[in-house]
């Protein structure tokens, strides 16, 4: 049954990204056919895109962008989509195999198989699928955990949050050594390996973020700002936007402080704690970000799937809410994106529902993580796993 559902949903996704079928709204595949392919042409010369402010990723991102070159007999976009399909198959296989172990279940595999297509063709039209695969593999393959986390962080930073619930020093060391070695290699061999830092720093408040809701509503009360393509995303520009962006960054710092406090207080670690902590941490940093792009839900669906392979995980309620948020994201992008950009009633409503679901999932995940690992004042700490 799982294979049947996977085959049917993935065939549908491929039909969409290959444009045999189309959805209303913007063409989600232009990131591949225009942006990624443009980066590919520059990267293959041995340099990073130094003059392109949309290049806001660590140097390891060059690997998935260059990877379609391994299929020279296919056009670049088609090759990218084929690699996305293969990556999806590998993640599914990892989750299925993990679900067969003692103390595990197949709910994780089902979460991935059902959750990924809820995002529509965006799931196959962003290299975030490859990053999520590294994160899933890091959580499910203990012997390669450190190197995979290090590689993931060099591809898109956020996999470093998988270290949140890691106590083994060897994992921290191997992740750091791997990341440092890969970064050093890129820095020595390719000019502009660190250019992404400046481009990322200058981003504003993207129209789908939590903070953007302030300006969506304010536009109906005379706010004199505008919506523009800026640094590779559709952002609000105008009065008070820098203030809201700084507030988002402050909330991110507070989230980091909470995670540090949780680590200090946590005593009861089980086999599920690393995945649960990673899921909660990524949720925190997603909802407080200045940008909540649709592909961010890919990260959350992948981490939710890993959590739900474990019977002892406490993340099932939050995972279910994330799946609902994934569906709401499809309604928001691409289906209703024009309404979001124009801040009309439908756009605000869909965005409010999606972001409210993400906030709810974050609260549920953090509460469950705390209650599962931090002993109450009246109860002794549980035995460490």
């Amino acid at each position: 049954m799982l294979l049947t559902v996977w085959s049917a949903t993935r065939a549908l996704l491929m039909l969409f990204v290959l444009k045999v079928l189309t959805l209303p709204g913007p063409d989600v595949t232009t990131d591949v056919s225009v942006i990624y392919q443009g980066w590919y042409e520059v990267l293959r010369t041995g340099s990073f895109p130094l003059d392109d402010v949309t290049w806001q990723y660590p140097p390891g991102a060059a690997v998935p962008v260059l990877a379609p070159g391994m299929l020279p007999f296919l056009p670049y976009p088609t090759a990218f989509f084929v690699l996305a399909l293969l990556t999806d198959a590998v993640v599914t296989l990892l989750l299925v195999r993990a679900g067969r172990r003692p103390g595990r279940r197949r709910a994780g595999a089902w979460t991935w198989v059902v959750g990924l297509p809820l995002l529509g063709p965006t799931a196959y039209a962003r290299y975030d699928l490859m990053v999520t695969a590294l994160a899933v593999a890091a959580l499910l393959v203990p012997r390669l955990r450190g190197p995979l986390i290090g590689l993931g962080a060099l591809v898109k930073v956020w996999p470093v949050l998988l270290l949140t619930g890691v106590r083994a020093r060897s994992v921290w060391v191997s992740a750091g050594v791997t990341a440092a070695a890969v970064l050093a290699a890129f820095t020595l061999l390719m000019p502009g390996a660190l250019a992404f830092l400046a481009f990322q720093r200058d981003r504003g408040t993207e129209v789908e973020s939590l903070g953007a809701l302030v300006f969506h509503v304010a536009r109906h009360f005379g706010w004199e700002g505008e919506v523009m393509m800026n640094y590779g995303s559709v952002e609000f520009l105008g009065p008070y936007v820098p203030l809201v962006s700084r507030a988002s960054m402050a909330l991110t710092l507070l989230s980091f402080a909470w995670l540090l406090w949780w680590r200090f207080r946590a005593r009861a670690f089980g086999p599920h704690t690393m995945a649960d902590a990673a899921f909660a941490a990524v949720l925190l940093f997603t909802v407080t970000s200045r940008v909540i792009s649709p592909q961010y839900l890919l990260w959350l669906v992948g981490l939710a799937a890993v959590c739900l392979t474990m019977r002892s995980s406490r993340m099932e309620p939050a995972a279910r809410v994330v799946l609902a948020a994934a569906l709401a994201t499809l309604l928001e992008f691409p289906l209703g994106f024009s309404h979001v950009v124009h801040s009309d009633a439908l756009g605000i409503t869909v965005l409010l529902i999606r972001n409210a679901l993400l906030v709810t999932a974050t609260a549920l995940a953090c509460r469950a993580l705390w209650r599962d690992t931090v002993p109450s004042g009246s109860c002794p700490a549980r035995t460490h796993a």
Side-chain angles (χ1 to χ4, degrees):
M1 181 65 176
L2 185 76
L3 178 60
T4 301
V5 175
W6 186 90
S7 300
T9 54
R10 275 47 181 186
L12 191 60
L13 287 178
M14 289 298 288
L15 289 173
F16 278 121
V17 294
L18 294 175
K19 299 183 181 180
V20 177
L21 301 174
T22 58
L23 285 176
D27 180 4
V28 303
T29 66
T30 56
D31 274 41
V32 177
S33 60
V34 178
I35 298 175
Y36 291 3
Q37 189 164 1
W39 291 342
Y40 171 81
E41 297 299 335
V42 176
L43 289 166
R44 67 191 300 202
T45 67
S47 175
F48 286 95
L50 300 177
D51 300 321
D52 187 349
V53 296
T54 63
W55 177 262
Q56 300 167 9
Y57 308 107
V63 176
V65 173
L66 287 169
M70 296 186 299
L71 303 175
F73 49 88
L74 293 175
Y76 182 91
T78 304
F80 185 92
F81 302 139
V82 169
L83 291 177
L85 176 66
L86 294 175
T87 302
D88 178 10
V90 170
V91 173
T92 304
L93 179 61
L94 285 171
L95 291 165
V96 169
R97 292 185 64 182
R100 292 172 177 168
R101 299 171 189 164
R104 304 295 182 94
R105 54 181 179 161
R106 298 187 71 188
W110 274 109
T111 298
W112 176 258
V113 169
V114 173
L116 183 139
L118 291 179
L119 292 168
T122 301
Y124 276 10
R126 302 292 186 272
Y127 86 85
D128 294 78
L129 181 57
M130 292 70 168
V131 186
T132 302
L134 286 172
V136 170
L139 291 169
L140 295 178
V141 186
R143 288 177 295 179
L144 300 177
R145 183 162 291 160
L148 287 172
I149 292 175
L151 287 173
L154 259 294
V155 176
K156 204 166 186 180
V157 180
W158 70 265
V160 75
L161 294 173
L162 272 63
L163 293 169
T164 302
V166 172
R167 292 183 298 162
R169 183 176 300 178
S170 61
V171 175
W172 282 81
V173 171
S174 59
V177 169
T178 301
V182 174
L183 179 59
F186 274 115
T187 303
L188 289 172
L189 299 175
M190 296 180 68
L194 300 179
F196 77 98
L197 293 173
F199 298 155
Q200 184 65 241
R201 178 193 63 209
D202 295 332
R203 295 194 75 163
T205 297
E206 191 255 349
V207 295
E208 298 163 276
S209 66
L210 195 63
L213 285 167
V214 174
F215 301 112
H216 282 296
V217 175
R219 293 175 84 181
H220 293 271
F221 295 91
W223 177 68
E224 297 179 351
E226 56 185 342
V227 173
M228 291 184 63
M229 178 65 72
N230 188 53
Y231 286 95
S233 64
V234 182
E235 298 180 353
F236 280 112
L237 299 176
Y240 307 109
V241 173
L243 177 63
V244 170
S245 295
R246 287 194 294 271
S248 295
M249 296 175 70
L251 287 174
T252 298
L253 290 175
L254 286 175
S255 297
F256 181 68
W258 183 87
L259 288 170
L260 288 177
W261 180 240
W262 166 76
R263 264 311 285 267
F264 177 74
R265 294 290 309 277
R267 295 293 181 271
F269 285 75
H272 60 283
T273 304
M274 180 186 174
D276 284 6
F279 184 47
V282 174
L283 272 166
L284 276 170
F285 282 87
T286 297
V287 298
T288 61
S289 174
R290 293 170 293 171
V291 179
I292 305 182
S293 297
Q295 60 266 28
Y296 291 14
L297 273 291
L298 268 172
W299 317 343
L300 298 174
V301 171
L303 295 177
V306 174
C307 290
L308 295 191
T309 63
M310 306 177 194
R311 296 186 184 277
S312 54
S313 174
R314 303 297 187 268
M315 293 296 146
E316 185 164 353
R320 292 181 181 276
V321 178
V322 162
L323 292 182
L327 178 58
T329 298
L330 175 62
L331 298 177
E332 173 261 312
F333 183 89
L335 298 181
F337 195 61
S338 63
H339 297 280
V340 172
V341 170
H342 290 95
S343 302
D344 63 24
L346 178 59
I348 293 175
T349 300
V350 173
L351 189 62
L352 179 62
I353 291 171
R354 197 282 300 271
N355 288 351
L357 287 168
L358 287 176
V359 171
T360 300
T362 304
L364 289 171
C366 291
R367 180 174 180 267
L369 180 66
W370 186 275
R371 295 185 67 178
D372 184 49
T373 58
V374 178
S376 63
S378 58
C379 298
R382 294 184 300 176
T383 302
H384 288 205

